[in-house]
Amino acid sequence: MVSLIEFLKERNIPVDKVEEDKIDCQVILLLSDDELTKYIPIYGDRIAVKDFCKNQGGTGSKSKKKKTLLQKIRKRLHPSSKRNLFKTKKDIDESSSDSDDNPSTSKNIGNDHAAKSERRIELGWLMKEGDRMKQVRGPTGGGTRHLIVDKDTLVSTIKETALKLYFPEGISPRGKIENFVVDIMDFKRQSANLDLSVENIYDRSKMRLLRFYLLTVPKERDNTEQEKNSTTRTKENEDQKSVSQLLRLENHENNSSHSSYNEHTSLNMCSDDEIQFGPVLADIDDIYDSTIPLNDIHTQSDSQPENSYIANDPGIITNSLGIIADGPGLINNEQLFLDPFHSVKIRVHRGNLMIEMMKIFSDPTIMYATFFDVSMILPTGKAEEGVGEGIFRDCLTEFWNEFMDNCCIGNSQKVPTIRHDFQEEQWLSIGRIIFKGWQIANYLPIGLSIIVMENAMYGKFKSDLMENFLCFITEEDKTLFSTALKDYESVDNDELIEALENHSCRSAVTKESITRILLEIAHKEMVQECNFITDAWAKILSQLGQSLSYENLTEIYSKMEPSNRKVTKMLHFSDNLSNLEREVMNHLQRYVRELDKVLLKKFLRFCTGSDLILDGKDTITVEFVVLDGFGRRPIAHTCGRVLRIPRNYENFTIFRSEFNNILNTSVWVMDIV
């Protein structure tokens, strides 16, 4: 084999410095091209030498790596005849001789995990109801628990562990442990042998991960207790029926004495609705928590006017006589004018609310509606039971949140953008939602730029275009443009040009032209690009412009925008509070003062159904209730704007943590009738 020195001499490369610095093939492969130039000046020679060194040392290195890799693979394989398939005859002979000399080496070959003393298992909770076994989910005290136990642990020990996990101190959300007959089930949901160990069951089942279930069967109560409870329930039903009849009589008398629209709607909105979160004490198997109803004395037939129009499906309106009107122009306008209490029942699904609302409001005759009875359908297909004006406010809030996300651009102020699937009919539907939202609930979508609303209502805008444009763009661009307007020389010119290019600027910018250029960009993005939309809205909202002046609209935008100070002032407490209640009152006030803008709007929506401060509705009545353990949670009645707070919080941090968990919940369910 030719050595490196001989190869260098063949190519007439000086070897003195190479020999002096002890440069060999392995070293050359580690040197960079610049370092190798000191020894081999010519580029072609360097390439040839590197190739020579790779051929000299590469084969042995590669084969060694391959051999090492094969050894690692063989080590992880189980000792069997299959293992020999990956060995050469020489390897088999060597391993045989090694095992003969050292018998201990043949033990524990293969999966190292088999030699571990601990194994993983899962625990679940099953509740037997009649002939069915239902799994208890996490929000109701159940859920899957993951454990690491000794492989010799008996099933009886696992049963005791499950009881401690699901019945801490003998109590769970489903009741006390003494009220149940308890058993432990295996992965096949069959009663497990208490004397078997985890390792025995793993060996028999060959499962990768064992799962056990704690089975609880409610004990049967004696006949005396059942009769007592039956008598109590009968008495409660009779009392409830009497109260219901009394309230219906009161409503009938009140309806006879009131003739104005506002007075009528106040009577028909008396049924309160509640937003509630937290653990559920009721027995359900849904992914949503239920709440404990305060009363059940109002029914749909009580709250629904006799001549009501019901939109059971998006875009379809029916009246109580069974006449169906599908699409615009099929309802008798004269009849609508004659009916002073025209009520429309809207049935929409959470998650698809924006599209369904637009279909319902595509009918122009809906402009004659004086009251909306909204029914919200959960993603599970179950209808929420909450009724009242708070549901309509919540429906409007969710609609505009979806609209801002799907149909608008901008930062703190939004501008609607053209969509290929939205033609004039769709934008007219949205205009009707704006109109009826203001007319019935005093709700205006102030998330939309006031420039857009002024153009739609008055045909032109008066508000400061530059000020609104700076709220429309990103915070980074806002800082840059504001600095350029005040001190042009202090702004990096390349950064400014790049920001203007993002807004499709086609003019050279200077200190003298920066204001004019920014106003031109603002007009293009906030007026021109949404001109088709505002023209469509103007056909509906011009009526609002006749009753609201520019100054009124500006004042409404200012009053409806929530702030920590405004919301804190909205909280109204009783004058007679105990020391414990006064401490929780301080927690609530401090909590509201510290909320950021996003959570503040969520808090307001939780209490009132709307994330804005609606005109004339500036009070949230705070009441204190006794709720302990899993049932401790705030309760909001959005119709009456009542917030009920438990009076027993240990400190402010626990109060804040529990309230934050509620406000950050993605699903809000209203289920009090």
Side-chain angles (χ1 to χ4, degrees):
M1 182 182 291
V2 180
S3 66
L4 174 62
I5 300 300
E6 292 174 349
F7 181 77
L8 294 176
K9 288 180 178 179
E10 287 179 3
R11 297 188 65 90
N12 297 320
I13 300 173
V15 298
D16 296 337
K17 191 166 181 59
V18 174
E19 292 178 336
E20 180 181 348
D21 292 345
K22 296 183 179 181
I23 304 298
D24 55 16
C25 287
Q26 294 181 355
V27 175
I28 287 177
L29 292 175
L30 298 175
L31 294 176
S32 65
D33 194 64
D34 293 337
E35 292 172 335
L36 191 57
T37 306
K38 300 177 184 178
Y39 305 100
I40 308 173
I42 300 175
Y43 178 72
D45 290 337
R46 291 198 298 274
I47 299 298
V49 170
K50 283 186 177 181
D51 183 64
F52 172 80
C53 292
K54 287 179 181 178
N55 292 332
Q56 289 290 316
T59 305
S61 176
K62 288 181 180 178
S63 61
K64 184 177 179 181
K65 288 181 180 179
K66 288 181 180 179
K67 186 175 180 181
T68 304
L69 181 60
L70 286 173
Q71 288 174 348
K72 289 181 179 179
I73 295 173
R74 289 167 186 156
K75 184 178 179 181
R76 290 195 175 272
L77 295 175
H78 293 283
S80 63
S81 58
K82 293 181 181 180
R83 182 182 177 190
N84 295 334
L85 295 175
F86 299 92
K87 286 187 174 184
T88 62
K89 187 176 184 302
K90 181 179 178 182
D91 292 333
I92 295 173
D93 295 338
E94 289 177 356
S95 61
S96 300
S97 61
D98 291 341
S99 60
D100 293 339
D101 296 337
N102 300 303
S104 61
T105 59
S106 62
K107 297 180 180 180
N108 297 328
I109 299 176
N111 185 9
D112 291 336
H113 294 283
K116 291 184 177 180
S117 60
E118 296 178 337
R119 300 302 295 265
R120 292 181 60 235
I121 63 170
E122 289 182 345
L123 277 179
W125 180 7
L126 294 175
M127 175 74 75
K128 190 170 184 180
E129 299 176 351
D131 297 331
R132 296 179 58 197
M133 288 190 294
K134 298 172 65 177
Q135 187 166 345
V136 182
R137 300 183 181 274
T140 57
T144 300
R145 312 297 172 92
H146 303 271
L147 304 176
I148 298 176
V149 299
D150 191 277
K151 65 180 182 181
D152 297 325
T153 301
L154 298 179
V155 175
S156 58
T157 307
I158 295 174
K159 179 180 177 181
E160 295 174 2
T161 304
L163 288 173
K164 293 178 181 178
L165 290 173
Y166 293 116
F167 289 85
E169 299 181 0
I171 301 175
S172 78
R174 296 300 181 100
K176 296 182 179 180
I177 186 63
E178 53 263 27
N179 297 333
F180 299 94
V181 177
V182 181
D183 194 9
I184 191 76
M185 315 290 282
D186 60 15
F187 61 93
K188 294 181 289 185
R189 297 195 176 188
Q190 297 177 355
S191 183
N193 188 341
L194 299 179
D195 297 327
L196 289 178
S197 68
V198 172
E199 186 67 16
N200 295 146
I201 301 176
Y202 262 113
D203 290 341
R204 293 182 182 183
S205 65
K206 306 301 180 185
M207 298 281 289
R208 292 188 62 185
L209 182 62
L210 277 182
R211 184 177 181 91
F212 295 91
Y213 295 95
L214 178 69
L215 176 66
T216 53
V217 183
K219 293 181 180 178
E220 294 184 0
R221 295 175 291 180
D222 56 25
N223 294 333
T224 305
E225 185 179 354
Q226 290 181 359
E227 290 176 2
K228 181 180 178 181
N229 290 341
S230 176
T231 304
T232 304
R233 283 194 297 270
T234 304
K235 187 177 185 305
E236 288 175 351
N237 290 337
E238 290 176 355
D239 292 343
Q240 234 177 35
K241 185 177 179 181
S242 300
V243 174
S244 180
Q245 292 173 350
L246 179 61
L247 286 177
R248 279 198 293 269
L249 181 60
E250 274 188 309
N251 283 342
H252 177 73
E253 293 174 353
N254 288 336
N255 287 338
S256 301
S257 60
H258 293 282
S259 58
S260 68
Y261 156 70
N262 290 333
E263 290 170 340
H264 172 78
T265 55
S266 66
L267 291 173
N268 282 281
M269 295 177 183
C270 63
S271 297
D272 205 355
D273 46 273
E274 176 179 299
I275 307 174
Q276 185 141 355
F277 301 85
V280 185
L281 304 182
D283 186 14
I284 61 169
D285 196 30
D286 297 327
I287 60 173
Y288 300 98
D289 286 349
S290 291
T291 59
I292 306 171
L294 297 180
N295 54 64
D296 194 21
I297 59 178
H298 299 291
T299 62
Q300 287 184 347
S301 59
D302 296 332
S303 61
Q304 181 178 320
E306 184 178 356
N307 297 321
S308 62
Y309 293 83
I310 304 172
N312 290 319
D313 294 320
I316 297 180
I317 300 178
T318 65
N319 63 13
S320 57
L321 300 177
I323 303 172
I324 300 177
D326 186 1
L330 298 182
I331 297 180
N332 190 335
N333 289 351
E334 183 179 353
Q335 180 185 6
L336 292 177
F337 275 117
L338 294 175
D339 178 13
F341 305 136
H342 175 49
S343 173
V344 174
K345 184 167 184 178
I346 297 175
R347 186 173 183 266
V348 289
H349 296 75
R350 289 195 185 272
N352 194 40
L353 187 142
M354 184 185 79
I355 300 300
E356 293 181 359
M357 283 282 285
M358 289 171 59
K359 288 181 179 179
I360 292 170
F361 279 81
S362 63
D363 186 350
T365 56
I366 205 167
M367 294 291 287
Y368 300 104
T370 56
F371 174 66
F372 292 104
D373 184 6
V374 181
S375 175
M376 305 285 274
I377 309 300
L378 294 170
T380 58
K382 180 181 178 182
E384 294 180 3
E385 297 177 358
V387 297
E389 63 178 18
I391 303 294
F392 182 52
R393 289 196 298 269
D394 183 70
C395 179
L396 288 173
T397 301
E398 185 159 336
F399 172 84
W400 287 112
N401 286 340
E402 285 190 38
F403 179 80
M404 299 297 176
D405 289 338
N406 292 283
C407 306
C408 295
I409 56 175
N411 192 17
S412 59
Q413 288 192 16
K414 304 289 186 180
V415 172
T417 183
I418 293 295
R419 289 176 44 155
H420 71 88
D421 54 339
F422 279 25
Q423 302 302 313
E424 185 180 30
E425 179 185 355
Q426 284 74 29
W427 294 115
L428 284 172
S429 299
I430 298 169
R432 295 186 189 105
I433 294 173
I434 296 175
F435 184 92
K436 300 307 292 185
W438 170 254
Q439 185 186 60
I440 294 178
N442 287 328
Y443 188 105
L444 272 184
I446 65 171
L448 291 175
S449 172
I450 195 171
I451 299 289
V452 175
M453 294 298 292
E454 287 176 343
N455 278 329
M457 292 170 64
Y458 312 113
K460 59 181 180 179
F461 65 91
K462 285 188 177 181
S463 296
D464 191 309
L465 182 59
M466 182 66 76
E467 179 183 346
N468 285 275
F469 176 66
L470 294 176
C471 295
F472 167 74
I473 58 181
T474 64
E475 289 295 329
E476 185 178 354
D477 285 352
K478 178 180 179 180
T479 303
L480 182 64
F481 293 159
S482 298
T483 306
L485 290 171
K486 294 177 182 178
D487 186 7
Y488 183 83
E489 303 298 336
S490 63
V491 177
D492 183 89
N493 195 50
D494 293 336
E495 187 178 357
L496 179 61
I497 292 174
E498 182 180 355
L500 291 172
E501 286 178 350
N502 292 334
H503 293 273
S504 304
C505 178
R506 296 292 182 266
S507 303
V509 62
T510 63
K511 181 179 180 180
E512 291 73 22
S513 64
I514 180 66
T515 303
R516 174 182 58 81
I517 290 175
L518 288 178
L519 285 173
E520 291 173 351
I521 294 174
H523 194 272
K524 175 183 74 73
E525 296 188 356
M526 302 189 72
V527 179
Q528 298 175 29
E529 291 184 356
C530 62
N531 192 54
F532 175 79
I533 300 171
T534 53
D535 283 351
W537 286 356
K539 298 176 182 179
I540 309 294
L541 301 184
S542 58
Q543 302 174 54
L544 284 183
Q546 296 173 8
S547 59
L548 294 175
S549 65
Y550 282 100
E551 293 74 17
N552 293 146
L553 184 62
T554 304
E555 185 180 1
I556 290 170
Y557 262 68
S558 176
K559 286 184 176 180
M560 292 179 69
E561 181 66 31
S563 67
N564 300 82
R565 182 180 59 82
K566 289 180 183 178
V567 177
T568 304
K569 286 186 175 182
M570 290 173 63
L571 301 176
H572 180 265
F573 301 88
S574 172
D575 295 331
N576 301 319
L577 296 179
S578 65
N579 292 335
L580 196 59
E581 292 171 345
R582 195 168 296 278
E583 183 179 356
V584 177
M585 177 190 74
N586 294 332
H587 292 339
L588 178 61
Q589 290 176 333
R590 177 182 174 185
Y591 175 74
V592 173
R593 287 195 299 267
E594 293 180 1
L595 288 176
D596 60 29
K597 190 173 182 179
V598 175
L599 279 179
L600 183 66
K601 287 191 173 185
K602 288 184 177 182
F603 174 83
L604 197 58
R605 182 181 178 186
F606 176 73
C607 297
T608 67
S610 167
D611 58 358
L612 304 175
I613 300 176
L614 304 186
D615 185 35
K617 313 292 184 180
D618 55 354
T619 299
I620 299 174
T621 303
V622 181
E623 298 177 354
F624 293 95
V625 294
V626 179
L627 293 172
D628 297 317
F630 289 99
R632 185 173 73 181
R633 74 282 186 203
I635 303 170
H637 297 270
T638 59
C639 185
R641 295 176 175 83
V642 176
L643 176 62
R644 293 188 167 186
I645 299 288
R647 66 181 67 185
N648 53 336
Y649 285 98
E650 293 82 350
N651 52 55
F652 172 72
T653 55
I654 293 177
F655 177 90
R656 179 181 60 191
S657 175
E658 293 187 9
F659 223 124
N660 281 345
N661 289 337
I662 289 175
L663 296 184
N664 289 323
T665 303
S666 58
V667 178
W668 291 11
V669 180
M670 298 187 179
D671 61 352
I672 288 298
V673 181

